[in-house]
Amino acid sequence: MRLMSGFEALRARMQELSHLDAILGLLSWDEETYAPPGGRASRGEHTATLEGIKHNKLSDPALGELIEAHLEDSAISIDERTMVARLKRTRDLAVKVPEPLVKALAAARSKSVDNWAKARSEDDYSRFAPHLQEVLGLTRERAQALGDGRPAYDALLDEFEPNATVAQLRPVFSQLRQELVPLLQEIVEAPNQPDVQFLKQSFEPSAQWDFTMTLLKDLGFDFENGRQDKSTHPFTGGAGPKDVRLTTRIEAHNPFNAIFSTIHECGHGLYEQGFDPAHFGTPLAAAPSMGIHESQSRLWENQVGRSRQFWQAYLPVLRTYFPKQLEGVDVDTFHRAVNHVRPSLIRTESDEVTYNLHILLRFELEQALLSGDLSVPDLPGAWRERMTADLGVEVPSDREGCLQDIHWAFGAIGYFPTYTLGNLFSAQIMAAYEREHPDVWQDISNKHFGPLLSWLRSSIHRRGYTDYAADIVQDVVGAPLSVTPFIDYLKGRFLPLYGR
Amino acid sequence: MRLMSGFEALRARMQELSHLDAILGLLSWDEETYAPPGGRASRGEHTATLEGIKHNKLSDPALGELIEAHLEDSAISIDERTMVARLKRTRDLAVKVPEPLVKALAAARSKSVDNWAKARSEDDYSRFAPHLQEVLGLTRERAQALGDGRPAYDALLDEFEPNATVAQLRPVFSQLRQELVPLLQEIVEAPNQPDVQFLKQSFEPSAQWDFTMTLLKDLGFDFENGRQDKSTHPFTGGAGPKDVRLTTRIEAHNPFNAIFSTIHECGHGLYEQGFDPAHFGTPLAAAPSMGIHESQSRLWENQVGRSRQFWQAYLPVLRTYFPKQLEGVDVDTFHRAVNHVRPSLIRTESDEVTYNLHILLRFELEQALLSGDLSVPDLPGAWRERMTADLGVEVPSDREGCLQDIHWAFGAIGYFPTYTLGNLFSAQIMAAYEREHPDVWQDISNKHFGPLLSWLRSSIHRRGYTDYAADIVQDVVGAPLSVTPFIDYLKGRFLPLYGR
């Protein structure tokens, strides 16, 4: 029996970790799709056991030694050295936070999420406040443990968006807000509002399902290595790039929900299916950041899926499923309904123009909560104030205000900005593609998605986590993170639709 | 932080092992139900990683020490000492076989199963023979490692049916054969054969599915803690007693397939859902043997599900799904079709009278293969000879002969006899219940399954693996393993049906 070289041993450990991640992915998919109630209740324990095993594997000092031995190993390839560096990042996150804090945070999160759910359904912020306070305190400690002297928020943000900092994001986001508020104003005041009357009908769920399956096939989702199911909250998960599981949510009275969540998750799924097979089982078969992952879902959902050319191609298909409901609805009417802008209370139901205003609000408030500049009792008031200032809406209840999202309840601070990064990146990437491929809109009106997908595959998907997000964007777009392409895109699409 | 006592530490390890088993159960369920092709291909690696982790946990010397320390610990309860003893059994199986042999066997099995599948589809025994030879050789070594001086076959049998031995089974099985061969003869020669013409129609799969779901609900399967799906080969699996997953197989031209596989798996599922919650996460939340597990599936499938009283209740229900197909089919005709006896080539399609003859043949041949009394090249001939002697059928091809089952391809020797034990136990258990509850058949004709289920729950299910199979049978039935109740049952049901 031949002994494994040091790097082979390290690679075997990477593979083992990737198998555990795949299994955890499947357990979580099952919990959201098919598990019976009793199974969901006991699943938490099973997952905790496996997470514990993974944590022990990651924090094993022998793994630390193998990593140190190969970080600068010139006998291995550049890709292999990058794998080692990525694994070091993951390991650092696992070992830097002391065990008692990990346990305290897990316990606090679990209580906090429970109470958040009850507080939301009862519209009783006071029930949630003490738990948020506790989770915030522990999250501050966690940020400190992760920090290496960095500001607390940056340490947290870095988990979701490696290398991003508040110093970098704040001016970009502030410019975005300055552009969005007047743009929204102009759209809202336009007399030429879309007609969404035809949506107020019932759309047979099984026909909606069939239509989403047609979309997935046409967009290039690979059913040999993936599938779609239904769940309460759509997500992309599964057991690695050979087994990508999308979910969608079907509502009889809102067909856009299933359609756009399917296209959105398809974007995530195409990304996961597009990693380089040579990277499978290593830390390189992953997105470099949540923002980049989100750029892929947003690009397909919005840039492609809400374009006039897309509906030129698909309204006739959708009509075969819903001839009665779509009687007399032409492409223009449909396209305007798809792009209905309306300031609203709930982030997940908001349109492309208002969406990022919801995020920017959260970005500011979560920084203030973390630093202590905003006290937990003052959160609801601050939320209302900002909603009025930015979106011009009155928040009638905390349920529709600061209690709407689950993120803070489990201490996921630093996650929200990645949604906006995804939107900005998606516009930059699509603009770059358009420059190189001016016939893109004709392709789309012919359901010819192959060229765009191939380009995304080679320029983004296959690279996986070989580089950080900023480097990938710079390479693909020829520029760093920027607001302009997104604003140009919004103006180009929405102002004509609203007759401006 | 309080330190865990020794037994608490042991219990935590049991729990961890049970979580890993639950996860492995879910992975395997998913592989057979929803996993896309690519997912199935990569699943093997994920499972192997998790099996490896489980093996390391089991063979951890610290676990061995904890077990030794508590085997006779008078400070813990009897149940707890039994948990320790059961865990010791599992650990012994894991540590007795040397690692290189485990790996060699895994590799040989994998090749052997592949070649078996091809050999079967091409009807080419010579392709399978060398692999069977190799697996047999390694299985002999494995038996020796497990044996502690016991005969090789007993060591293997013990894994599936703890404490059973050839010395004990052979006289029982030989008596069974002596009874079955003439009984079959009498039935086959009866002029009064069932009319199965009405089965030669198409039965809409979705209506079959709905009927099986009705059956599961009526029989008491708990959908809060389980579900049913479809798979190529029906099985009962899942992630522990709170998450029991049944599968069925639906064939448009054979409604009995779905109906009886559902009732069969339901019997397994009711058992798993009936373990004592106080035993969850310990080795006591398990069946004491495969034979006992099979007794529960057979009892519901055959004793209950093929009774006239059952179809008195359910033919009217089935007729609502298939009014056209069942037009003019009365309970007697239907009941006779359900109990159609016909010597055939394939075990899994055989009826209750011939089924055990298929098993007895395998029981004899696998012993001879293991001991070397029968050489691998001579297997097909020995199979044909015995099929003619016992069942009176000519075997036209090895595909329909010794290549039909997968068991030997992966070295599962000692498994087959547990099927017959299941049949014998089921008849003993049902006869015992009938003695105590003479109104059982009236209950069944009223779809009143609660009393039988409650009795099985308290006398068998809740006991789990607190006792060995033989002790449970002795307690419940008041007698040891016996052929008589099964033969009495067959004669009582089949002779009148065939006008004898």
Side-chain angles (χ1 to χ4, degrees):
Chain A
M1 217 172 170
R2 199 171 62 87
L3 271 174
M4 280 198 276
S5 77
F7 182 71
E8 279 173 10
L10 186 51
R11 181 125 187 182
R13 284 177 185 246
M14 285 178 195
Q15 215 129 33
E16 188 177 43
L17 287 165
S18 92
H19 294 168
L20 295 181
D21 281 334
I23 295 169
L24 285 164
L26 191 83
L27 291 176
S28 146
W29 168 85
D30 181 76
E31 193 174 346
E32 301 295 332
T33 51
Y34 294 110
R40 284 200 296 279
S42 51
R43 185 61 46 82
E45 294 175 30
H46 305 160
T47 304
T49 289
L50 206 57
E51 292 278 13
I53 287 169
K54 184 184 153 193
H55 185 266
N56 289 341
K57 302 245 170 226
L58 267 178
S59 50
D60 181 356
L63 178 63
E65 285 161 26
L66 280 168
I67 289 174
E68 292 307 324
H70 295 283
L71 263 180
E72 315 276 336
D73 180 356
S74 58
I76 59 177
S77 70
I78 297 179
D79 265 8
E80 288 168 338
R81 280 197 297 277
T82 311
M83 288 172 199
V84 181
R86 299 295 179 260
L87 183 58
K88 179 176 161 55
R89 253 191 73 92
T90 308
R91 182 170 190 276
D92 285 351
L93 285 175
V95 296
K96 275 183 182 170
V97 185
E99 202 63 20
L101 177 54
V102 170
K103 290 201 166 143
L105 197 50
R109 277 171 174 163
S110 161
K111 273 188 303 167
S112 165
V113 165
D114 271 6
N115 279 283
W116 163 79
K118 284 172 193 140
R120 186 166 87 148
S121 85
E122 294 162 10
D123 189 25
D124 177 9
Y125 179 73
S126 70
R127 173 169 199 150
F128 174 51
H131 297 282
L132 176 58
Q133 190 80 59
E134 191 187 1
V135 166
L136 269 178
L138 294 166
T139 301
R140 268 182 217 118
E141 284 183 49
R142 186 162 180 279
Q144 201 172 9
L146 293 173
D148 288 328
R150 288 176 295 174
Y153 191 87
D154 284 355
L156 299 175
L157 176 61
D158 190 67
E159 272 190 89
F160 307 113
E161 198 68 24
N163 299 345
T165 62
V166 170
Q168 175 211 5
L169 297 189
R170 188 170 294 207
V172 176
F173 283 11
S174 146
Q175 186 196 345
L176 179 61
R177 187 186 179 196
Q178 275 164 32
E179 298 271 12
L180 286 177
V181 172
L183 176 62
L184 175 60
Q185 194 67 15
E186 193 174 350
I187 290 172
V188 168
E189 287 168 2
N192 189 7
Q193 295 292 319
D195 170 13
V196 294
Q197 205 51 42
F198 72 89
L199 287 171
K200 292 175 180 143
Q201 302 177 75
S202 180
F203 295 74
E204 168 58 37
S206 75
Q208 288 195 45
W209 172 262
D210 292 344
F211 181 66
T212 66
M213 292 297 278
T214 300
L215 288 178
L216 288 176
K217 277 171 207 140
D218 289 358
L219 292 170
F221 184 75
D222 174 7
F223 283 93
E224 279 292 300
N225 297 299
R227 50 180 290 121
Q228 182 180 247
D229 295 275
K230 292 171 209 154
S231 69
T232 311
H233 304 287
F235 67 93
T236 298
K242 303 280 289 172
D243 195 351
V244 176
R245 314 256 175 134
L246 316 179
T247 67
T248 191
R249 174 184 177 162
I250 297 182
E251 292 177 353
H253 291 276
N254 180 3
F256 288 172
N257 206 325
I259 292 171
F260 292 102
S261 78
T262 289
I263 307 177
H264 179 99
E265 301 308 334
C266 180
H268 284 304
L270 291 171
Y271 190 6
E272 301 259 328
Q273 290 183 334
F275 295 138
D276 187 341
H279 297 158
F280 287 3
T282 82
L284 301 188
S289 78
M290 301 291 299
I292 294 289
H293 221 313
E294 191 73 2
S295 78
Q296 299 307 292
S297 55
R298 293 296 186 171
L299 186 148
W300 290 100
E301 176 193 357
N302 294 336
Q303 255 85 3
V304 175
R306 295 186 196 269
S307 69
R308 194 182 183 287
Q309 291 82 356
F310 187 85
W311 288 107
Q312 234 171 284
Y314 282 100
L315 183 60
V317 181
L318 190 62
R319 205 188 293 285
T320 63
Y321 292 100
F322 302 107
K324 198 173 61 65
Q325 291 90 334
L326 296 175
E327 206 181 325
V329 177
D330 64 11
V331 178
D332 285 319
T333 308
F334 194 87
H335 182 230
R336 297 191 72 217
V338 157
N339 290 288
H340 187 196
V341 175
R342 198 178 21 174
S344 69
L345 292 161
I346 307 297
R347 173 182 64 88
T348 57
E349 297 168 5
S350 66
D351 55 79
E352 282 188 87
V353 177
T354 55
Y355 186 86
N356 296 291
L357 292 170
H358 288 273
I359 297 299
L360 299 183
L361 171 158
R362 287 158 178 76
F363 178 60
E364 294 301 330
L365 295 186
E366 69 182 12
Q367 288 177 68
L369 282 170
L370 190 70
S371 68
D373 288 350
L374 175 64
S375 75
V376 167
D378 289 342
L379 172 62
W383 186 287
R384 281 160 208 257
E385 216 170 279
R386 178 77 180 247
M387 283 296 286
T388 308
D390 282 10
L391 284 144
V393 297
E394 298 295 323
V395 178
S397 71
D398 294 332
R399 191 209 316 243
E400 293 154 289
C402 64
L403 286 174
Q404 70 184 263
D405 292 309
I406 196 176
H407 303 56
W408 293 340
F410 63 87
I413 285 186
Y415 192 111
F416 282 122
T418 71
Y419 291 127
T420 285
L421 286 172
N423 287 319
L424 299 182
F425 289 150
S426 74
Q428 293 187 269
I429 293 166
M430 193 64 177
Y433 181 76
E434 223 177 322
R435 279 196 301 275
E436 286 180 37
H437 302 82
D439 48 357
V440 51
W441 297 112
Q442 201 181 323
D443 280 350
I444 289 174
S445 67
N446 291 320
K447 303 182 188 171
H448 195 198
F449 306 107
L452 173 58
L453 179 57
S454 303
W455 184 84
L456 291 170
R457 282 265 146 94
S458 59
S459 42
I460 298 177
H461 301 182
R462 283 181 72 88
R463 291 177 70 166
Y465 197 4
T466 52
D467 288 294
Y468 285 112
D471 300 321
I472 290 179
V473 170
Q474 180 70 46
D475 285 355
V476 174
V477 171
L481 174 66
S482 155
V483 162
T484 317
F486 182 64
I487 294 295
D488 288 349
Y489 153 72
L490 289 185
K491 287 181 174 166
R493 174 162 297 169
F494 288 91
L495 292 181
L497 277 181
Y498 281 80
R500 293 282 166 146
Chain B
M1 215 170 171
R2 202 171 61 86
L3 272 173
M4 279 198 278
S5 77
F7 183 71
E8 279 171 7
L10 186 52
R11 181 124 188 186
R13 285 179 184 245
M14 285 178 196
Q15 214 129 33
E16 188 176 42
L17 288 164
S18 91
H19 294 167
L20 295 180
D21 281 335
I23 295 169
L24 286 164
L26 191 83
L27 291 175
S28 146
W29 168 85
D30 182 76
E31 194 174 347
E32 302 295 332
T33 50
Y34 294 109
R40 282 199 296 277
S42 50
R43 185 61 46 81
E45 295 175 28
H46 305 160
T47 304
T49 289
L50 206 57
E51 292 278 13
I53 288 169
K54 182 183 154 192
H55 186 266
N56 289 341
K57 302 243 170 227
L58 266 178
S59 49
D60 181 356
L63 178 63
E65 284 161 27
L66 279 169
I67 288 174
E68 291 309 323
H70 295 284
L71 263 178
E72 314 277 336
D73 180 356
S74 57
I76 58 176
S77 70
I78 296 180
D79 265 7
E80 288 168 337
R81 279 197 298 275
T82 310
M83 289 172 198
V84 181
R86 298 296 179 259
L87 183 57
K88 179 176 161 54
R89 254 191 74 92
T90 308
R91 183 170 190 276
D92 285 351
L93 286 175
V95 297
K96 276 184 181 169
V97 185
E99 202 64 19
L101 178 53
V102 170
K103 290 197 167 147
L105 197 49
R109 276 172 175 162
S110 163
K111 273 189 302 169
S112 166
V113 166
D114 270 6
N115 278 284
W116 163 78
K118 286 171 190 143
R120 186 167 86 148
S121 85
E122 294 161 10
D123 190 27
D124 178 8
Y125 179 73
S126 70
R127 171 167 202 154
F128 174 52
H131 297 281
L132 177 58
Q133 190 81 60
E134 191 188 1
V135 166
L136 269 178
L138 294 166
T139 302
R140 267 182 218 117
E141 284 183 48
R142 187 163 178 280
Q144 201 172 9
L146 294 172
D148 289 327
R150 287 175 296 174
Y153 190 87
D154 284 354
L156 299 175
L157 175 62
D158 188 68
E159 272 190 88
F160 307 112
E161 199 66 27
N163 300 344
T165 62
V166 170
Q168 176 212 3
L169 297 190
R170 188 169 294 206
V172 176
F173 283 11
S174 143
Q175 186 197 346
L176 179 61
R177 187 184 179 198
Q178 276 165 31
E179 299 270 10
L180 285 177
V181 173
L183 176 61
L184 175 60
Q185 194 67 17
E186 193 174 349
I187 289 171
V188 168
E189 287 169 3
N192 188 6
Q193 294 292 319
D195 170 13
V196 293
Q197 207 49 41
F198 71 91
L199 287 171
K200 294 177 178 139
Q201 302 177 77
S202 179
F203 295 75
E204 168 59 36
S206 73
Q208 288 194 44
W209 171 262
D210 292 345
F211 181 66
T212 65
M213 291 297 277
T214 301
L215 287 178
L216 288 176
K217 277 171 207 140
D218 288 359
L219 292 170
F221 184 74
D222 174 8
F223 283 91
E224 279 291 300
N225 296 299
R227 50 180 290 122
Q228 182 179 245
D229 295 274
K230 292 169 208 158
S231 70
T232 312
H233 303 287
F235 66 92
T236 298
K242 303 279 290 173
D243 194 350
V244 176
R245 314 255 175 134
L246 317 179
T247 68
T248 190
R249 174 182 180 165
I250 298 183
E251 292 177 352
H253 291 275
N254 180 3
F256 288 171
N257 206 325
I259 292 170
F260 291 103
S261 79
T262 289
I263 307 177
H264 179 98
E265 302 307 334
C266 180
H268 284 304
L270 291 171
Y271 191 6
E272 300 259 327
Q273 290 183 332
F275 294 140
D276 187 341
H279 296 158
F280 288 2
T282 82
L284 301 189
S289 80
M290 303 289 299
I292 294 289
H293 220 312
E294 191 74 2
S295 77
Q296 298 306 293
S297 55
R298 293 297 185 171
L299 185 149
W300 289 100
E301 175 193 359
N302 294 336
Q303 255 85 3
V304 175
R306 294 187 196 269
S307 68
R308 195 182 184 286
Q309 292 81 356
F310 187 85
W311 288 106
Q312 231 172 288
Y314 282 100
L315 183 59
V317 181
L318 190 62
R319 203 188 293 283
T320 64
Y321 292 100
F322 301 107
K324 199 173 60 64
Q325 291 89 334
L326 296 176
E327 207 182 323
V329 178
D330 63 12
V331 178
D332 284 319
T333 307
F334 194 88
H335 183 229
R336 296 191 73 216
V338 158
N339 290 289
H340 187 195
V341 175
R342 196 178 24 174
S344 68
L345 292 160
I346 308 296
R347 173 183 64 87
T348 58
E349 297 169 4
S350 66
D351 56 80
E352 281 187 89
V353 178
T354 56
Y355 186 87
N356 296 293
L357 292 170
H358 289 273
I359 297 299
L360 300 183
L361 169 159
R362 287 156 178 77
F363 177 61
E364 294 301 330
L365 296 186
E366 69 181 13
Q367 288 178 66
L369 283 169
L370 189 73
S371 68
D373 287 350
L374 175 64
S375 75
V376 167
D378 289 343
L379 173 62
W383 186 286
R384 282 160 208 258
E385 214 170 281
R386 178 78 181 247
M387 282 298 284
T388 309
D390 281 9
L391 284 144
V393 296
E394 297 295 322
V395 178
S397 72
D398 294 332
R399 189 207 319 243
E400 295 155 288
C402 66
L403 286 173
Q404 70 183 265
D405 293 308
I406 196 176
H407 303 56
W408 293 339
F410 61 88
I413 286 186
Y415 191 110
F416 281 123
T418 70
Y419 292 127
T420 285
L421 286 172
N423 287 320
L424 299 182
F425 288 150
S426 75
Q428 292 186 271
I429 292 165
M430 194 63 175
Y433 181 76
E434 223 179 321
R435 277 195 301 275
E436 286 179 37
H437 302 81
D439 48 357
V440 52
W441 298 111
Q442 201 182 326
D443 279 351
I444 289 173
S445 67
N446 291 320
K447 304 181 187 170
H448 195 199
F449 305 109
L452 173 57
L453 178 56
S454 303
W455 184 84
L456 291 170
R457 283 263 147 95
S458 58
S459 42
I460 297 176
H461 303 181
R462 284 182 71 88
R463 291 177 71 166
Y465 198 2
T466 52
D467 288 295
Y468 284 111
D471 299 322
I472 290 180
V473 170
Q474 180 69 47
D475 284 356
V476 175
V477 171
L481 175 65
S482 154
V483 161
T484 316
F486 182 65
I487 294 296
D488 287 350
Y489 154 72
L490 289 185
K491 289 183 174 164
R493 173 163 296 170
F494 288 91
L495 292 181
L497 276 181
Y498 281 80
R500 293 284 167 147

